[in-house]
Amino acid sequence: MDERDDLERVLRSRTPILALQTREERRALELLRQLRQRLPWPVYKWTLTEGLTSLAFDFALEGRYREPDEVLRHLRDEAQAGVYVLVDFHPFLNDPVNVRLLKDIALHYETNPRTVVLLSHELDLPEELGNYAATVRLRLPDRETIRRIVMEEARRWKQEHPGRKVGADREALELLINNLTGLTAAEARRLAHQAIFDDGAIDASDLPRVMQAKYELLNQEGVLHYEFETERFADIGGFRRLREWLERRRSAFHDPRPGLDAPKGILLLGVQGCGKSLAARAVAGIWGIPLLRLDFATLYNKYHGETERNLRESLRAAEAMAPCVLWIDEIEKGLSTSDSDAGTSRRVLGTLLTWMAEQAEGVFLVATANDISALPPELIRKGRLDEIFFVDLPDPATRKRIAEIHLRKRGEDPLHFNTGELARRTEGFSGAEIEQLVVSALYAAHARGTPLRDADLFAEVELTRPLSVVMAERIDALRDWARTRTVSVD
Ligand code: ATP
């Protein structure tokens, strides 16, 4: 059965409303046009600019009933039996009048069968219509179809460059095909074309560009951010146990085996400024996969009333980018279960938990959090995530490493400094505070016009009141909580 058969089956099943969600409007209309001959009813198309026209014609007609409520009233009161494809009607589903009109049409389906097809790239059907509607998604091309598309583009390149062959490295070809899955055929073709036609070769240099272009195509709402900066664990002090944990699971993540559960995700909980964000970036770095950051704040602010739908879309986009790391920073801020937001965060939590339970392989979730009191217990229940890691204030050896890393980053040779003594004096400092004191000490040296000295660093230590002192009680409470429930990253 192909997707035309699927569509025909639903249209014949006497469902009054069909939600057809796809980014491929042209292909969807073409499928419906082809179905015209097989169906016993005429097929019409409506757009806001052209009004209602017959789908039989390939050219645009000046149609009637341009206003959304006008076309629905026409369908309810006058129209003959048929299939009516309303293209991009989704913004008008916010209007209760339109929702009621659609429901009226559905309720009178038995006496006058008019099927309304809502064709849009995004659709969130109002609950009132749920009982009368079926949802259909156009299938995306599978790996074999994508392979064929890539091969066709390679052949086209050869035709335009007689006597030459497309240079292809087998591994890059397979990765390119991987990266193009999740896209529509037209999008995959365009990216394959670019990858081949820029230099007549498919190689590793094409991949980052394809990934970025794919991300841009999938994430048109801007809630997921593609983070170009990943980290290496070499630039992070501490986190020994986390690194080992990740290394042990690397192959199970990339190449799941029977009997070994593919890693799903971790929560990094801990004291502010101790490197949770750095570690999230390093997960992507160590596994060599893209890092996507889900911005909860934008999810809530920008799309008031559409938060869950946008979350679902973002999660789907992340799946299409797999293999990847999905990083949710300060997850507690988006999921705090207070009653003040009319239950939105509860529903967001529900959406996230369902996704985690059903999650497809290839998306590794890294959530970071500072405040356990705001974390919903459902999230941290055993089994949801693979592990909850605690990121504590660094111990002396780690403080020494962190000071060395940040000195080196700023062109100083750590061997010229007594970093052991600095580590001793910075008890209770976070990584961010150690970095900051290196920065400030460099300013002091620069102002004096002489090279940086130990004394500059020690002076900055005296001037700093670390968070662990200012917020001693909160940090103690966090540590107490973490002691029995989490695993240390070190
Ligand atoms: P927050 O909860 O405030 O977001 P965080 O735990 O995510 O903090 P980061 O943002 O990762 O902390 O750390 C801030 C900066 O401090 C980092 O960019 C890095 O430069 C420095 N830093 C913190 N911890 C470490 C570490 N273990 N090794 C090296 N640098 C560190």
Side-chain angles (χ1 to χ4, degrees):
M1 266 231 236
D2 66 9
E3 53 191 351
R4 207 167 358 164
D5 300 323
D6 289 346
L7 209 54
E8 180 176 353
R9 198 166 31 81
V10 189
L11 286 170
R12 285 181 180 276
S13 69
R14 308 185 69 73
T15 309
I17 300 173
L18 189 69
L20 183 54
Q21 187 172 341
T22 175
R23 295 196 308 279
E24 294 181 283
E25 177 183 312
R26 211 185 312 184
R27 187 159 75 91
L29 286 174
E30 184 49 38
L31 282 173
L32 287 159
R33 195 173 285 130
Q34 291 167 9
L35 277 179
R36 242 179 38 234
Q37 279 106 29
R38 299 207 215 161
L39 293 171
W41 316 288
V43 184
Y44 298 90
K45 172 181 122 183
W46 174 91
T47 65
L48 188 60
T49 46
E50 287 165 13
L52 191 64
T53 58
S54 164
L55 194 64
F57 306 108
D58 288 331
F59 47 90
L61 275 184
E62 270 299 295
R64 292 158 64 200
Y65 313 114
R66 286 203 195 181
E67 291 305 315
D69 65 319
E70 229 186 330
V71 72
L72 294 182
R73 281 181 215 284
H74 167 70
L75 291 188
R76 184 189 61 179
D77 302 332
E78 304 155 9
Q80 55 170 326
V83 175
Y84 293 84
V85 186
L86 309 185
V87 182
D88 279 345
F89 201 81
H90 58 278
F92 311 114
L93 291 174
N94 289 330
D95 182 342
V97 173
N98 292 337
V99 175
R100 181 64 222 185
L101 284 166
L102 278 165
K103 190 166 166 185
D104 285 340
I105 297 167
L107 286 170
H108 292 112
Y109 187 85
E110 289 306 321
T111 46
N112 191 2
R114 290 131 313 168
T115 304
V116 177
V117 178
L118 298 167
L119 169 59
S120 290
H121 72 284
E122 56 169 41
L123 268 174
D124 221 2
L125 273 189
E127 271 175 40
E128 297 90 317
L129 302 178
N131 282 344
Y132 310 98
T135 301
V136 174
R137 280 173 188 283
L138 286 195
R139 289 184 203 163
L140 291 170
D142 59 12
R143 268 184 74 87
E144 281 324 297
T145 314
I146 301 262
R147 184 185 300 278
R148 213 187 54 233
I149 291 173
V150 174
M151 292 310 169
E152 280 167 10
E153 288 306 312
R155 257 195 308 279
R156 280 181 52 192
W157 188 88
K158 259 171 41 187
Q159 277 162 7
E160 289 182 23
H161 301 83
R164 292 174 60 194
K165 268 179 77 176
V166 175
D169 123 27
R170 184 131 285 286
E171 196 186 334
L173 173 66
E174 292 307 317
L175 284 173
L176 177 68
I177 293 170
N178 271 352
N179 288 345
L180 294 176
T181 48
L183 293 176
T184 65
E187 290 164 348
R189 184 176 299 282
R190 194 165 59 72
L191 295 187
H193 180 92
Q194 278 171 7
I196 297 171
F197 277 66
D198 62 348
D199 56 359
I202 299 173
D203 53 31
S205 71
D206 293 316
L207 300 176
R209 241 177 328 139
V210 169
M211 275 318 260
Q212 197 199 336
K214 175 174 175 180
Y215 153 78
E216 279 160 10
L217 281 169
L218 292 173
N219 184 46
Q220 281 148 358
E221 305 286 353
V223 181
L224 275 185
H225 298 272
Y226 194 104
E227 300 279 324
F228 290 96
E229 294 270 314
T230 55
E231 281 287 341
R232 298 174 314 143
F233 270 104
D235 294 331
I236 308 182
F239 291 85
R240 182 188 50 80
R241 199 177 294 170
L242 175 64
R243 187 176 357 191
E244 281 169 15
W245 190 98
L246 290 165
E247 262 156 15
R248 212 167 300 142
R249 282 160 183 79
R250 172 205 267 273
S251 66
F253 179 76
H254 284 285
D255 182 16
R257 305 215 183 114
L260 273 187
D261 288 350
K264 288 185 295 200
I266 53 174
L267 174 67
L268 296 171
L269 171 72
V271 181
Q272 266 168 38
C274 289
K276 294 184 297 296
S277 311
L278 275 187
R281 292 180 191 281
V283 178
I286 200 171
W287 283 353
I289 53 181
L291 176 65
L292 301 176
R293 183 168 56 83
L294 180 66
D295 186 348
F296 256 162
T298 321
L299 194 69
Y300 276 88
N301 299 339
K302 200 161 155 194
Y303 304 101
H304 197 67
E306 297 182 49
T307 312
E308 294 140 81
R309 188 177 62 73
N310 277 293
L311 176 61
R312 279 197 301 274
E313 287 285 306
S314 304
L315 295 173
R316 214 173 292 133
E319 281 171 14
M321 292 288 290
C324 64
V325 171
L326 178 65
W327 168 29
I328 307 185
D329 197 15
E330 301 195 78
I331 192 168
E332 71 272 37
K333 299 232 164 104
L335 295 180
S336 70
T337 47
S338 70
D339 296 330
S340 57
D341 59 357
T344 308
S345 52
R346 273 250 147 249
R347 293 195 302 272
V348 163
L349 174 64
T351 305
L352 191 66
L353 292 177
T354 312
W355 177 78
M356 279 162 64
E358 296 168 353
Q359 186 182 349
E361 278 159 10
V363 182
F364 187 76
L365 181 72
V366 178
T368 51
N370 290 326
D371 181 3
I372 28 114
S373 65
L375 270 181
E378 296 95 309
L379 182 75
I380 43 188
R381 195 168 294 151
K382 270 263 167 256
R384 293 262 187 230
L385 291 156
D386 299 318
E387 201 62 86
I388 301 178
F389 283 102
F390 183 58
V391 188
D392 204 347
L393 289 164
D395 63 12
T398 309
R399 293 201 294 274
K400 185 171 185 306
R401 274 278 300 139
I402 295 175
E404 287 165 1
I405 287 169
H406 289 290
L407 283 166
R408 204 173 298 117
K409 266 195 178 166
R410 288 163 183 84
E412 300 288 336
D413 182 351
L415 290 176
H416 295 158
F417 299 90
N418 189 348
T419 48
E421 177 59 19
L422 185 63
R424 209 183 52 75
R425 294 185 185 208
T426 48
E427 169 84 47
F429 277 51
S430 69
E433 286 161 342
I434 296 172
E435 177 180 18
Q436 210 40 56
L437 78 83
V438 170
V439 172
S440 303
L442 274 165
Y443 270 118
H446 185 77
R448 214 180 38 235
T450 58
L452 181 69
R453 301 184 304 226
D454 278 328
D456 298 317
L457 295 166
F458 299 159
E460 289 301 329
V461 174
E462 295 308 315
L463 293 174
T464 310
R465 261 171 68 75
L467 267 186
S468 61
V469 172
V470 182
M471 298 185 11
E473 280 163 15
R474 261 189 69 184
I475 292 175
D476 282 347
L478 186 64
R479 281 178 166 164
D480 267 354
W481 187 92
R483 196 162 297 129
T484 51
R485 297 171 175 89
T486 63
V487 171
S488 165
V489 289
D490 265 316

